[in-house]
């Protein structure tokens, strides 16, 4: 743990603070500490999807795209997930699949995003670029 004093002052059930602390650790490139905080925050259904997304992004930062994809897919399985968060997770999975050179899978995920919101980020360009790769 990077900052044990901070950890000792937090209640394990203060999920929002754990999430915010994870963000701070991630910004300081303390990835293992960030993951730990996000894992704690993920225990609360209200923070679960956001925390799993951040865990995935931490693994991406470490170059572990397979693990990142697994956490993003876990987020998709969260009960009560909103369409907005589903779209974000699908897009992030598409990015990771693309980075791994899995253009078919990336195209499938970006297509799901496009079906919901054709103006989401740069999904139109992503699909056009992937068509060239396929």
């Amino acid at each position: 743990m990077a900052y044990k004093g901070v950890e000792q002052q937090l209640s394990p059930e203060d999920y929002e603070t754990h999430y915010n602390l994870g963000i701070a650790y991630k910004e300081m490139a303390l990835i293992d500490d960030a993951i730990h905080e996000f894992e704690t925050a993920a225990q609360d259904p209200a923070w679960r999807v956001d925390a799993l997304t951040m865990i995935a992004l931490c693994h991406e930062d470490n170059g572990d795209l397979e693990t990142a994809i697994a956490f993003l897919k876990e987020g998709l399985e969260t009960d009560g997930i909103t369409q907005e968060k589903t779209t974000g997770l699908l897009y992030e999975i598409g990015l990771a699949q693309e980075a791994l050179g899995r253009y078919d899978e990336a195209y499938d995920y970006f297509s799901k995003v496009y079906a919901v919101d054709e103006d989401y980020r740069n999904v139109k360009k992503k699909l056009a670029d992937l068509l060239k790769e396929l």
Side-chain angles (χ1 to χ4, degrees):
M1 272 292 117
Y3 297 96
K4 290 185 174 148
V6 172
E7 183 78 11
Q8 290 171 353
Q9 294 176 11
L10 284 179
S11 161
E13 292 80 31
D14 188 354
Y15 302 111
E16 181 176 4
T17 302
H18 282 284
Y19 180 84
N20 289 330
L21 189 55
I23 296 287
Y25 285 154
K26 185 177 183 310
E27 289 174 356
M28 292 186 286
L30 299 170
I31 301 301
D32 291 339
D33 294 315
I35 289 171
H36 174 75
E37 295 303 328
F38 293 133
E39 287 171 342
T40 301
Q43 295 172 26
D44 180 2
W47 287 98
R48 183 161 181 76
V49 174
D50 292 335
L52 290 172
T53 301
M54 293 308 298
I55 291 169
L57 295 177
C58 287
H59 285 288
E60 284 183 8
D61 287 350
N62 281 339
D64 187 356
L65 296 174
E66 295 291 350
T67 301
I69 290 169
F71 277 100
L72 294 167
K73 287 181 176 180
E74 186 177 339
L76 285 174
E77 297 170 5
T78 301
D79 290 336
I81 186 172
T82 65
Q83 183 60 58
E84 179 182 350
K85 289 185 181 190
T86 297
T87 303
L89 290 171
L90 292 171
Y91 188 88
E92 290 298 328
I93 294 170
L95 289 176
Q97 296 287 13
E98 182 182 24
L100 287 168
R102 297 179 188 155
Y103 303 125
D104 297 4
E105 290 92 338
Y107 189 87
D108 289 344
Y109 281 98
F110 289 132
S111 292
K112 291 175 185 177
V113 171
Y114 183 83
V116 174
D117 182 356
E118 61 187 48
D119 294 320
Y120 189 84
R121 293 171 67 174
N122 61 347
V123 72
K124 286 181 192 175
K125 182 172 179 353
K126 285 288 185 191
L127 289 169
D129 290 347
L130 285 167
L131 273 177
K132 295 174 190 170
E133 295 292 336
L134 297 173

